[in-house]
Amino acid sequence: MNVELVSRTAAGEWADLLGREAAREPEADFALLVERQSRFVFSIAYAVLRNVEDAEDVVQDTFLKLFRTGAWKQMQDERRFLARMAWRLAVGKK
């Protein structure tokens, strides 16, 4: 196999991947955040409320509020930020 052809193909695939990353919608980043941290937020809410349905409501409220305010774009430590937000919403729901 021609090494130059392989290199050009790999470089082209890498450029395509980078282009897709740059063109990715902010909502896709938020969806990944929700996917990555929803179980963690649920565990915080459930620890406070001891009720599955109420904890699920807090998870939904947490991510909805986070999206509406746009605060998720500036989070430096997402777990700490989400834990505090979920805890406050859960305590408020009690």
Side-chain angles (χ1 to χ4, degrees):
M1 185 176 264
N2 188 343
V3 173
E4 184 180 324
L5 178 62
V6 171
S7 296
R8 272 190 277 143
T9 303
E13 288 174 2
W14 184 250
D16 287 346
L17 179 63
L18 289 175
R20 278 181 279 172
E21 283 293 315
R24 191 169 63 186
E25 297 294 322
E27 290 79 12
D29 289 338
F30 184 76
L32 290 173
L33 171 70
V34 172
E35 202 173 300
R36 192 171 54 245
Q37 298 294 350
S38 60
R39 291 182 74 135
F40 174 69
V41 172
F42 176 83
S43 67
I44 299 294
Y46 186 79
V48 173
L49 298 168
R50 297 290 182 201
N51 181 294
V52 173
E53 290 82 16
D54 289 342
E56 289 172 346
D57 288 345
V58 168
V59 172
Q60 185 174 6
D61 292 345
T62 299
F63 286 111
L64 185 60
K65 185 175 276 193
L66 196 62
F67 186 77
R68 285 183 177 164
T69 63
W72 63 277
K73 296 174 186 174
Q74 292 89 24
M75 286 190 303
Q76 291 180 3
D77 184 351
E78 66 185 37
R79 286 179 68 91
R80 183 178 298 161
F81 188 93
L82 290 170
R84 187 174 190 144
M85 190 173 187
W87 182 80
R88 286 182 175 180
L89 288 170
V91 167
K93 191 169 189 74
K94 239 180 168 180

Coordinates of all heavy atoms in Angstrom, one line a residue:
M1 N 0.8 -1.2 0.0 CA 0.0 0.0 0.0 C 0.9 1.2 0.0 O 1.9 1.3 0.6 CB -0.9 0.0 1.2 CG -1.9 1.1 1.2 SD -3.1 1.1 2.6 CE -4.4 0.3 1.8
N2 N 0.5 2.3 -0.7 CA 1.2 3.5 -0.8 C 1.1 4.3 0.5 O 0.1 4.7 0.9 CB 0.7 4.3 -2.0 CG 1.5 5.5 -2.3 OD1 2.3 5.9 -1.5 ND2 1.3 6.0 -3.5
V3 N 2.3 4.6 1.1 CA 2.4 5.3 2.4 C 1.8 6.7 2.2 O 1.1 7.2 3.1 CB 3.8 5.4 2.9 CG1 3.9 6.2 4.1 CG2 4.3 4.0 3.2
E4 N 2.1 7.4 1.1 CA 1.6 8.8 0.9 C 0.1 8.8 0.8 O -0.5 9.7 1.3 CB 2.2 9.3 -0.4 CG 1.9 10.8 -0.7 CD 2.5 11.3 -1.9 OE1 3.6 10.9 -2.3 OE2 1.8 12.1 -2.6
L5 N -0.5 7.8 0.1 CA -1.9 7.7 0.0 C -2.6 7.5 1.4 O -3.6 8.2 1.7 CB -2.3 6.6 -0.9 CG -3.8 6.4 -1.1 CD1 -4.5 7.6 -1.7 CD2 -4.1 5.1 -2.0
V6 N -2.0 6.7 2.2 CA -2.5 6.4 3.5 C -2.4 7.7 4.4 O -3.3 8.1 5.1 CB -1.7 5.3 4.2 CG1 -2.1 5.2 5.7 CG2 -2.0 4.0 3.5
S7 N -1.3 8.4 4.3 CA -1.1 9.6 5.0 C -2.1 10.7 4.6 O -2.7 11.4 5.5 CB 0.3 10.2 4.8 OG 1.3 9.3 5.3
R8 N -2.3 10.8 3.3 CA -3.3 11.8 2.9 C -4.7 11.4 3.3 O -5.5 12.3 3.7 CB -3.3 12.0 1.3 CG -2.3 13.0 0.9 CD -2.5 13.3 -0.6 NE -1.7 12.2 -1.3 CZ -2.1 11.7 -2.4 NH1 -3.2 12.1 -3.0 NH2 -1.4 10.7 -3.0
T9 N -5.1 10.2 3.3 CA -6.4 9.7 3.7 C -6.5 10.0 5.2 O -7.6 10.5 5.7 CB -6.5 8.2 3.4 OG1 -6.3 8.0 2.0 CG2 -7.9 7.7 3.8
A10 N -5.6 9.6 6.0 CA -5.6 9.8 7.5 C -5.7 11.3 7.8 O -6.5 11.7 8.6 CB -4.4 9.2 8.1
A11 N -5.0 12.1 7.1 CA -5.0 13.6 7.3 C -6.4 14.1 6.9 O -7.0 15.0 7.6 CB -3.9 14.3 6.5
G12 N -7.0 13.6 5.8 CA -8.3 14.1 5.4 C -9.4 13.7 6.4 O -10.3 14.5 6.8
E13 N -9.3 12.5 7.0 CA -10.2 12.0 8.0 C -10.1 12.8 9.3 O -11.0 13.2 9.9 CB -10.0 10.5 8.3 CG -10.5 9.6 7.2 CD -10.1 8.2 7.4 OE1 -9.5 7.9 8.5 OE2 -10.4 7.4 6.5
W14 N -8.8 13.2 9.6 CA -8.6 14.0 10.8 C -9.2 15.4 10.6 O -9.8 15.9 11.5 CB -7.1 14.1 11.1 CG -6.7 14.8 12.3 CD1 -6.1 16.0 12.4 CD2 -7.0 14.4 13.7 NE1 -6.0 16.4 13.7 CE2 -6.5 15.4 14.5 CE3 -7.5 13.3 14.3 CZ2 -6.5 15.3 15.9 CZ3 -7.6 13.2 15.6 CH2 -7.1 14.2 16.4
A15 N -9.0 16.0 9.4 CA -9.5 17.3 9.2 C -11.1 17.3 9.2 O -11.7 18.2 9.7 CB -9.1 17.8 7.8
D16 N -11.7 16.2 8.7 CA -13.1 16.0 8.7 C -13.6 16.0 10.2 O -14.6 16.6 10.6 CB -13.6 14.8 8.0 CG -13.5 14.9 6.5 OD1 -13.3 16.1 6.0 OD2 -13.6 13.9 5.8
L17 N -12.9 15.2 11.0 CA -13.2 15.1 12.4 C -13.1 16.4 13.1 O -14.0 16.8 13.9 CB -12.3 14.1 13.1 CG -12.6 13.8 14.6 CD1 -14.0 13.3 14.8 CD2 -11.5 12.9 15.2
L18 N -12.1 17.2 12.9 CA -11.9 18.5 13.5 C -13.0 19.4 13.0 O -13.5 20.3 13.8 CB -10.5 19.0 13.2 CG -9.3 18.4 13.9 CD1 -8.0 18.9 13.5 CD2 -9.5 18.5 15.4
G19 N -13.3 19.4 11.8 CA -14.4 20.2 11.2 C -15.7 19.9 11.9 O -16.5 20.9 12.2
R20 N -16.0 18.7 12.1 CA -17.2 18.3 12.8 C -17.2 18.8 14.2 O -18.3 19.2 14.7 CB -17.5 16.8 12.7 CG -18.1 16.4 11.4 CD -18.3 14.9 11.4 NE -17.0 14.4 11.0 CZ -16.7 13.1 11.1 NH1 -17.6 12.2 11.5 NH2 -15.5 12.7 10.8
E21 N -16.1 18.7 14.9 CA -16.0 19.1 16.3 C -16.3 20.7 16.3 O -16.9 21.1 17.2 CB -14.6 18.8 16.9 CG -14.5 17.4 17.3 CD -15.4 17.0 18.4 OE1 -15.5 17.7 19.4 OE2 -16.0 15.9 18.3
A22 N -15.7 21.4 15.4 CA -15.8 22.9 15.4 C -17.2 23.3 15.1 O -17.7 24.3 15.6 CB -14.8 23.5 14.5
A23 N -17.9 22.5 14.2 CA -19.2 22.9 13.8 C -20.3 22.3 14.7 O -21.5 22.6 14.5 CB -19.5 22.3 12.4
R24 N -19.9 21.6 15.8 CA -20.9 21.0 16.7 C -21.7 22.1 17.4 O -21.2 23.1 17.8 CB -20.2 20.1 17.7 CG -21.1 19.3 18.5 CD -20.4 18.3 19.3 NE -19.5 18.9 20.2 CZ -18.6 18.3 21.0 NH1 -18.5 17.0 20.9 NH2 -17.9 18.9 21.9
E25 N -23.0 21.9 17.5 CA -23.9 22.8 18.1 C -23.7 22.8 19.6 O -23.4 21.8 20.2 CB -25.3 22.4 17.8 CG -25.7 22.4 16.4 CD -25.7 23.8 15.8 OE1 -26.1 24.8 16.5 OE2 -25.3 24.0 14.6
P26 N -23.9 24.0 20.2 CA -23.7 24.1 21.7 C -24.7 23.2 22.4 O -24.5 22.7 23.5 CB -24.0 25.6 22.0 CG -23.9 26.3 20.7 CD -24.1 25.3 19.6
E27 N -25.9 23.0 21.8 CA -26.9 22.1 22.4 C -26.4 20.7 22.5 O -26.7 19.9 23.4 CB -28.2 22.1 21.6 CG -29.0 23.4 21.8 CD -28.4 24.6 20.9 OE1 -27.6 24.3 20.0 OE2 -28.8 25.7 21.1
A28 N -25.5 20.3 21.6 CA -25.0 18.9 21.6 C -24.0 18.8 22.8 O -24.0 17.8 23.5 CB -24.2 18.6 20.3
D29 N -23.3 19.9 23.1 CA -22.4 19.9 24.3 C -23.2 19.8 25.6 O -22.9 19.1 26.5 CB -21.6 21.2 24.4 CG -20.5 21.2 23.3 OD1 -20.1 20.1 22.8 OD2 -20.0 22.3 23.0
F30 N -24.4 20.5 25.6 CA -25.2 20.4 26.8 C -25.8 19.0 26.9 O -25.9 18.5 28.0 CB -26.4 21.4 26.7 CG -27.2 21.5 27.9 CD1 -26.8 22.1 29.0 CD2 -28.5 20.9 27.9 CE1 -27.5 22.1 30.2 CE2 -29.2 20.9 29.1 CZ -28.8 21.5 30.2
A31 N -26.2 18.4 25.8 CA -26.8 17.0 25.9 C -25.7 16.1 26.4 O -26.1 15.2 27.2 CB -27.2 16.6 24.5
L32 N -24.5 16.3 26.0 CA -23.4 15.4 26.6 C -23.2 15.6 28.1 O -23.0 14.7 28.8 CB -22.1 15.7 25.9 CG -22.0 15.2 24.4 CD1 -20.7 15.7 23.8 CD2 -22.2 13.7 24.3
L33 N -23.4 16.9 28.5 CA -23.3 17.2 29.9 C -24.4 16.5 30.7 O -24.1 15.9 31.7 CB -23.4 18.7 30.2 CG -23.5 19.2 31.6 CD1 -22.2 18.9 32.4 CD2 -23.9 20.6 31.7
V34 N -25.6 16.6 30.2 CA -26.7 15.9 30.8 C -26.5 14.4 30.9 O -26.7 13.8 31.9 CB -28.1 16.2 30.1 CG1 -29.2 15.4 30.6 CG2 -28.4 17.7 30.2
E35 N -26.1 13.8 29.8 CA -25.8 12.4 29.8 C -24.7 12.0 30.8 O -24.8 11.0 31.4 CB -25.3 12.0 28.3 CG -25.5 10.6 28.0 CD -25.2 10.4 26.5 OE1 -25.9 11.0 25.6 OE2 -24.3 9.7 26.2
R36 N -23.7 12.8 30.9 CA -22.6 12.5 31.7 C -22.9 12.7 33.2 O -22.4 12.0 34.0 CB -21.4 13.5 31.3 CG -20.1 13.2 31.8 CD -19.0 14.1 31.2 NE -19.2 15.5 31.3 CZ -19.4 16.3 30.2 NH1 -19.4 15.8 29.0 NH2 -19.6 17.6 30.4
Q37 N -23.7 13.6 33.6 CA -23.9 14.0 35.0 C -25.3 13.8 35.6 O -25.5 14.0 36.7 CB -23.5 15.5 35.2 CG -22.1 15.8 34.8 CD -21.1 15.2 35.8 OE1 -21.4 14.6 36.8 NE2 -19.8 15.3 35.4
S38 N -26.2 13.3 34.8 CA -27.6 13.1 35.3 C -27.7 12.1 36.5 O -28.4 12.4 37.4 CB -28.6 12.8 34.2 OG -28.2 11.5 33.6
R39 N -26.9 11.1 36.4 CA -27.0 10.1 37.6 C -26.4 10.7 38.8 O -26.9 10.5 39.9 CB -26.2 8.9 37.2 CG -26.9 8.0 36.1 CD -26.1 6.8 35.9 NE -26.3 5.9 37.0 CZ -26.6 4.6 36.9 NH1 -26.6 4.1 35.7 NH2 -26.8 3.9 37.9
F40 N -25.4 11.5 38.7 CA -24.8 12.2 39.8 C -25.8 13.2 40.4 O -25.9 13.2 41.6 CB -23.5 12.9 39.3 CG -22.9 13.8 40.4 CD1 -22.3 13.2 41.5 CD2 -22.9 15.2 40.3 CE1 -21.7 14.0 42.5 CE2 -22.3 16.0 41.3 CZ -21.7 15.4 42.4
V41 N -26.4 14.0 39.6 CA -27.4 15.0 40.1 C -28.6 14.2 40.8 O -29.0 14.6 41.8 CB -27.9 15.9 38.9 CG1 -29.1 16.7 39.4 CG2 -26.8 16.7 38.4
F42 N -29.0 13.1 40.2 CA -30.1 12.3 40.8 C -29.6 11.8 42.2 O -30.4 11.9 43.1 CB -30.4 11.1 39.9 CG -31.5 10.2 40.6 CD1 -32.8 10.6 40.4 CD2 -31.1 9.1 41.3 CE1 -33.8 9.8 41.0 CE2 -32.1 8.3 41.9 CZ -33.4 8.6 41.8
S43 N -28.4 11.4 42.3 CA -28.0 10.8 43.6 C -27.9 11.9 44.7 O -28.3 11.7 45.8 CB -26.6 10.2 43.5 OG -25.6 11.1 43.2
I44 N -27.6 13.2 44.3 CA -27.6 14.3 45.3 C -29.1 14.6 45.7 O -29.4 14.7 46.8 CB -27.0 15.5 44.6 CG1 -25.5 15.3 44.2 CG2 -27.2 16.8 45.5 CD1 -24.6 15.1 45.4
A45 N -29.9 14.7 44.7 CA -31.4 15.0 45.0 C -32.0 13.9 45.8 O -32.8 14.2 46.7 CB -32.1 15.2 43.6
Y46 N -31.7 12.6 45.5 CA -32.3 11.5 46.2 C -31.8 11.5 47.6 O -32.6 11.1 48.5 CB -32.1 10.2 45.5 CG -32.8 9.0 46.1 CD1 -34.1 8.8 45.9 CD2 -32.1 8.2 47.0 CE1 -34.8 7.8 46.5 CE2 -32.8 7.2 47.6 CZ -34.1 7.0 47.4 OH -34.8 6.0 48.0
A47 N -30.6 11.8 47.8 CA -30.0 11.8 49.2 C -30.7 12.8 50.1 O -30.9 12.6 51.3 CB -28.5 12.1 49.2
V48 N -31.2 13.9 49.5 CA -31.9 14.9 50.3 C -33.4 14.6 50.4 O -34.0 14.6 51.5 CB -31.8 16.3 49.6 CG1 -32.7 17.3 50.3 CG2 -30.4 16.8 49.6
L49 N -34.0 14.1 49.3 CA -35.5 13.9 49.3 C -36.0 12.5 49.7 O -37.1 12.4 50.1 CB -36.0 14.3 47.9 CG -35.8 15.8 47.5 CD1 -36.1 16.0 46.1 CD2 -36.6 16.7 48.4
R50 N -35.2 11.5 49.4 CA -35.6 10.1 49.7 C -36.9 9.7 49.0 O -37.7 9.0 49.5 CB -35.7 9.8 51.2 CG -34.4 10.0 51.9 CD -33.5 8.9 51.5 NE -32.3 8.9 52.3 CZ -31.1 8.4 51.9 NH1 -31.1 7.7 50.8 NH2 -30.1 8.5 52.6
N51 N -37.1 10.3 47.8 CA -38.2 10.0 47.0 C -37.8 10.1 45.5 O -37.3 11.1 45.0 CB -39.3 11.0 47.2 CG -40.6 10.7 46.4 OD1 -40.6 10.9 45.2 ND2 -41.7 10.4 47.2
V52 N -38.0 9.0 44.8 CA -37.6 8.9 43.4 C -38.2 9.9 42.5 O -37.5 10.6 41.7 CB -37.8 7.4 42.8 CG1 -37.5 7.4 41.3 CG2 -37.0 6.4 43.6
E53 N -39.5 10.1 42.6 CA -40.2 11.0 41.7 C -39.7 12.5 42.0 O -39.5 13.2 41.0 CB -41.7 10.9 41.9 CG -42.3 9.7 41.3 CD -42.2 8.5 42.3 OE1 -41.9 8.7 43.5 OE2 -42.4 7.3 41.8
D54 N -39.6 12.8 43.2 CA -39.2 14.2 43.5 C -37.7 14.4 43.1 O -37.3 15.5 42.6 CB -39.3 14.5 45.0 CG -40.7 14.6 45.5 OD1 -41.6 14.8 44.6 OD2 -41.0 14.5 46.7
A55 N -36.9 13.4 43.3 CA -35.5 13.5 42.8 C -35.4 13.6 41.3 O -34.6 14.4 40.8 CB -34.7 12.2 43.3
E56 N -36.2 12.9 40.6 CA -36.3 13.1 39.1 C -36.7 14.5 38.7 O -36.2 15.0 37.8 CB -37.2 12.0 38.5 CG -36.6 10.6 38.6 CD -37.6 9.5 38.1 OE1 -38.8 9.8 38.0 OE2 -37.2 8.4 37.9
D57 N -37.6 15.0 39.5 CA -38.1 16.4 39.2 C -36.9 17.4 39.4 O -36.8 18.3 38.7 CB -39.3 16.8 40.1 CG -40.6 16.1 39.7 OD1 -40.6 15.6 38.6 OD2 -41.5 16.1 40.5
V58 N -36.2 17.1 40.5 CA -35.0 18.0 40.7 C -34.0 17.9 39.6 O -33.4 18.9 39.2 CB -34.4 17.7 42.1 CG1 -33.1 18.4 42.3 CG2 -35.4 18.2 43.2
V59 N -33.7 16.7 39.1 CA -32.8 16.5 38.0 C -33.2 17.4 36.8 O -32.5 18.1 36.2 CB -32.6 15.1 37.7 CG1 -31.8 14.9 36.4 CG2 -32.0 14.3 38.8
Q60 N -34.5 17.2 36.5 CA -35.1 18.0 35.4 C -35.0 19.5 35.6 O -34.5 20.2 34.7 CB -36.5 17.6 35.1 CG -37.1 18.2 33.9 CD -38.5 17.6 33.6 OE1 -39.1 16.9 34.4 NE2 -39.1 18.0 32.5
D61 N -35.3 19.9 36.8 CA -35.3 21.3 37.1 C -33.9 21.9 37.1 O -33.6 23.0 36.6 CB -35.9 21.6 38.5 CG -37.4 21.4 38.6 OD1 -38.0 21.3 37.5 OD2 -37.9 21.3 39.7
T62 N -32.9 21.1 37.6 CA -31.5 21.5 37.6 C -31.0 21.7 36.2 O -30.5 22.8 35.9 CB -30.6 20.4 38.2 OG1 -31.1 20.2 39.6 CG2 -29.2 20.8 38.2
F63 N -31.2 20.8 35.3 CA -30.7 20.9 33.9 C -31.5 22.0 33.1 O -30.9 22.7 32.3 CB -30.7 19.6 33.2 CG -29.5 18.7 33.7 CD1 -29.8 17.6 34.4 CD2 -28.2 19.1 33.5 CE1 -28.8 16.8 34.9 CE2 -27.2 18.3 34.0 CZ -27.4 17.1 34.7
L64 N -32.8 22.1 33.4 CA -33.6 23.1 32.7 C -33.1 24.5 33.1 O -32.9 25.4 32.2 CB -35.1 22.9 33.0 CG -36.0 23.8 32.3 CD1 -35.9 23.6 30.8 CD2 -37.5 23.5 32.7
K65 N -32.9 24.7 34.4 CA -32.5 26.0 34.9 C -31.1 26.3 34.3 O -30.7 27.4 33.9 CB -32.5 26.1 36.4 CG -32.1 27.4 37.0 CD -32.3 27.4 38.5 CE -33.7 27.7 38.8 NZ -33.9 28.0 40.2
L66 N -30.2 25.3 34.3 CA -28.9 25.5 33.8 C -28.8 25.9 32.4 O -28.1 26.7 32.0 CB -28.1 24.1 34.0 CG -26.6 24.1 34.0 CD1 -26.0 25.0 35.0 CD2 -26.1 22.7 34.1
F67 N -29.7 25.2 31.6 CA -29.8 25.5 30.1 C -30.3 26.9 29.9 O -29.8 27.7 29.1 CB -30.6 24.5 29.4 CG -30.6 24.7 27.9 CD1 -29.4 24.3 27.2 CD2 -31.6 25.3 27.3 CE1 -29.4 24.5 25.8 CE2 -31.6 25.5 25.9 CZ -30.5 25.1 25.2
R68 N -31.4 27.3 30.6 CA -32.0 28.6 30.4 C -31.1 29.7 30.8 O -31.1 30.8 30.1 CB -33.3 28.7 31.2 CG -34.4 27.9 30.6 CD -35.7 28.1 31.4 NE -36.8 27.4 30.7 CZ -37.9 27.1 31.3 NH1 -38.2 27.5 32.6 NH2 -38.9 26.4 30.7
T69 N -30.3 29.6 31.8 CA -29.5 30.7 32.3 C -28.2 30.7 31.5 O -27.5 31.7 31.5 CB -29.1 30.6 33.8 OG1 -28.4 29.3 34.0 CG2 -30.3 30.6 34.6
G70 N -27.8 29.6 30.8 CA -26.6 29.5 30.1 C -25.3 29.4 31.0 O -24.2 29.4 30.5
A71 N -25.6 29.1 32.3 CA -24.5 29.0 33.2 C -23.6 27.8 32.9 O -22.4 27.7 33.3 CB -25.0 28.9 34.6
W72 N -24.1 26.8 32.2 CA -23.3 25.6 31.9 C -22.1 25.9 31.0 O -21.2 25.1 31.0 CB -24.2 24.5 31.2 CG -24.8 24.9 29.9 CD1 -25.9 25.7 29.7 CD2 -24.3 24.6 28.6 NE1 -26.1 25.9 28.4 CE2 -25.2 25.2 27.7 CE3 -23.2 23.9 28.2 CZ2 -25.0 25.1 26.3 CZ3 -23.0 23.8 26.8 CH2 -23.9 24.4 25.9
K73 N -22.2 27.0 30.3 CA -21.1 27.4 29.4 C -19.9 27.9 30.2 O -18.7 27.8 29.7 CB -21.5 28.4 28.4 CG -22.6 27.9 27.5 CD -23.1 29.0 26.6 CE -24.3 28.6 25.8 NZ -24.9 29.6 25.0
Q74 N -20.1 28.4 31.4 CA -19.0 29.0 32.2 C -18.6 28.1 33.4 O -17.7 28.5 34.2 CB -19.4 30.4 32.7 CG -19.5 31.4 31.7 CD -20.9 31.5 31.1 OE1 -21.9 31.1 31.7 NE2 -21.0 32.0 29.9
M75 N -19.1 26.9 33.5 CA -18.8 26.1 34.6 C -17.3 25.7 34.6 O -16.8 25.2 33.5 CB -19.6 24.8 34.7 CG -21.0 25.0 35.1 SD -21.9 23.5 35.4 CE -21.8 22.6 33.8
Q76 N -16.6 25.8 35.7 CA -15.2 25.4 35.8 C -15.1 24.0 36.3 O -14.4 23.1 35.9 CB -14.4 26.3 36.6 CG -14.2 27.7 35.9 CD -13.4 28.6 36.7 OE1 -12.9 28.3 37.8 NE2 -13.3 29.8 36.2
D77 N -15.9 23.7 37.4 CA -15.9 22.4 38.0 C -17.4 21.9 38.0 O -18.1 22.3 38.9 CB -15.4 22.4 39.5 CG -15.3 21.1 40.1 OD1 -15.8 20.1 39.5 OD2 -14.7 21.0 41.2
E78 N -17.7 21.2 36.9 CA -19.1 20.9 36.7 C -19.8 20.1 37.8 O -20.9 20.3 38.2 CB -19.4 20.3 35.3 CG -18.8 18.9 35.1 CD -18.9 18.4 33.7 OE1 -18.9 19.2 32.7 OE2 -19.2 17.2 33.5
R79 N -19.0 19.1 38.4 CA -19.6 18.3 39.4 C -19.9 19.1 40.7 O -21.0 19.0 41.3 CB -18.7 17.1 39.8 CG -18.8 16.0 38.7 CD -17.9 14.9 39.0 NE -18.3 14.1 40.1 CZ -19.1 13.0 40.1 NH1 -19.6 12.7 38.9 NH2 -19.4 12.4 41.1
R80 N -19.0 20.0 41.0 CA -19.2 20.8 42.2 C -20.4 21.8 42.0 O -21.3 22.0 42.8 CB -18.0 21.6 42.5 CG -18.1 22.5 43.8 CD -16.9 23.2 44.1 NE -15.8 22.2 44.4 CZ -14.5 22.5 44.3 NH1 -14.1 23.7 44.0 NH2 -13.6 21.6 44.6
F81 N -20.4 22.4 40.8 CA -21.5 23.3 40.4 C -22.9 22.6 40.5 O -23.8 23.1 41.0 CB -21.2 23.9 39.1 CG -22.1 25.0 38.7 CD1 -21.8 26.3 38.9 CD2 -23.3 24.8 38.0 CE1 -22.6 27.4 38.6 CE2 -24.2 25.8 37.7 CZ -23.8 27.1 37.9
L82 N -22.9 21.5 39.8 CA -24.2 20.7 39.7 C -24.6 20.2 41.1 O -25.8 20.2 41.4 CB -24.0 19.6 38.7 CG -24.0 20.0 37.3 CD1 -23.6 18.8 36.4 CD2 -25.3 20.6 36.8
A83 N -23.7 19.8 41.9 CA -24.0 19.2 43.3 C -24.7 20.4 44.1 O -25.7 20.1 44.7 CB -22.8 18.7 44.0
R84 N -24.1 21.5 44.0 CA -24.6 22.6 44.8 C -26.0 23.1 44.3 O -26.9 23.3 45.1 CB -23.6 23.8 44.8 CG -24.0 24.9 45.7 CD -23.0 26.0 45.7 NE -23.3 26.9 46.7 CZ -22.4 27.5 47.5 NH1 -21.2 27.3 47.4 NH2 -22.8 28.3 48.4
M85 N -26.1 23.1 43.0 CA -27.4 23.5 42.4 C -28.5 22.5 42.7 O -29.6 22.9 43.1 CB -27.2 23.7 40.9 CG -28.4 24.3 40.2 SD -27.9 24.6 38.5 CE -29.3 25.5 37.9
A86 N -28.2 21.2 42.5 CA -29.2 20.2 42.8 C -29.5 20.1 44.3 O -30.7 20.0 44.7 CB -28.6 18.8 42.4
W87 N -28.6 20.3 45.2 CA -28.8 20.3 46.6 C -29.7 21.4 47.0 O -30.7 21.2 47.7 CB -27.5 20.4 47.4 CG -27.7 20.4 48.8 CD1 -27.9 19.3 49.6 CD2 -27.7 21.5 49.7 NE1 -28.0 19.7 50.9 CE2 -27.9 21.0 51.0 CE3 -27.6 22.9 49.5 CZ2 -28.0 21.8 52.1 CZ3 -27.7 23.7 50.6 CH2 -27.9 23.2 51.9
R88 N -29.5 22.6 46.4 CA -30.3 23.8 46.7 C -31.8 23.6 46.3 O -32.7 23.9 47.0 CB -29.8 25.0 46.1 CG -28.6 25.6 46.8 CD -28.0 26.8 46.2 NE -26.9 27.4 47.0 CZ -26.3 28.5 46.7 NH1 -26.7 29.2 45.6 NH2 -25.3 28.9 47.5
L89 N -31.9 23.0 45.0 CA -33.3 22.8 44.5 C -34.0 21.7 45.3 O -35.2 21.8 45.6 CB -33.2 22.4 43.0 CG -32.8 23.6 42.1 CD1 -32.6 23.0 40.7 CD2 -34.0 24.6 42.0
A90 N -33.2 20.7 45.7 CA -33.8 19.6 46.5 C -34.3 20.1 47.9 O -35.4 19.8 48.4 CB -32.9 18.4 46.7
V91 N -33.5 20.9 48.5 CA -33.8 21.4 49.8 C -35.0 22.3 49.7 O -35.9 22.3 50.6 CB -32.6 22.2 50.5 CG1 -33.0 23.0 51.7 CG2 -31.5 21.2 50.9
G92 N -35.1 23.1 48.6 CA -36.2 24.0 48.4 C -37.5 23.2 48.1 O -38.6 23.7 48.4
K93 N -37.4 22.0 47.6 CA -38.6 21.2 47.3 C -39.1 20.5 48.5 O -40.3 20.1 48.6 CB -38.2 20.2 46.2 CG -39.3 19.4 45.6 CD -38.9 18.7 44.4 CE -40.0 18.1 43.7 NZ -40.8 19.1 42.9
K94 N -38.3 20.3 49.6 CA -38.7 19.6 50.8 C -39.9 20.2 51.5 O -40.1 21.3 51.6 CB -37.5 19.5 51.7 CG -37.1 18.1 52.1 CD -35.9 18.1 53.0 CE -35.8 16.7 53.5 NZ -34.7 16.6 54.4

